[in-house]
Amino acid sequence: MTVWEHYVNIKGSTHLAGFFIFFFLLGVWLVITSIGRRSLIIDLNENEYEFYIYRYLMHKGPLDEIYIRLKSQKTGQGVFYYSLILNGPHIELLNLTGIKLSQNAEKLERLGLRLSTKLNLNYFDCFDVSPRHSIRHWPH
């Protein structure tokens, strides 16, 4: 093995190690910067909500901007799974049913309607046009 071949092998492994170290540090930095706790405060007296990341107010708006929706997802076998989400234009999507999806759409629909009634929010079915929408707030 010549000196040049030895030099190339050492440089190649150094670049590979640097590559892995860079992406490891990038991953750690992304995790640390996204740790900020998210809070959604719904004020039923004022009919508005506030969305915070850590202690910083990100958005404040009327209740007609946020809603509860029954979301459907089709698998490769043609089976539909459902979940409830809370969403709006200036907040992050919040999955209300957790990670687990359900095949029981009727049960989740009743739960979503009950939640939207208690929180005074709009409720939308998984279809765009549906008689099961419950609209309590109209845009100003």
Side-chain angles (χ1 to χ4, degrees), residues 17-44:
F19 176 78
F20 285 118
I21 290 171
F22 171 75
F23 279 105
F24 175 75
L25 292 175
L26 179 67
V28 169
W29 179 77
L30 287 173
V31 167
I32 289 172
T33 57
S34 67
I35 285 178
R37 191 175 72 151
R38 274 85 167 134
S39 301
L40 177 67
I41 299 172
I42 299 174
D43 187 356
L44 296 177

Side-chain angles (χ1 to χ4, degrees), residues 14 19 35 42 45-46 54 66 74 84 100 102 127-128:
T14 305
F19 176 78
I35 285 178
I42 299 174
N45 296 327
E46 298 292 325
Y54 191 55
I66 60 174
K74 187 176 179 181
L84 280 176
K100 187 169 178 153
S102 173
F127 303 109
D128 289 337

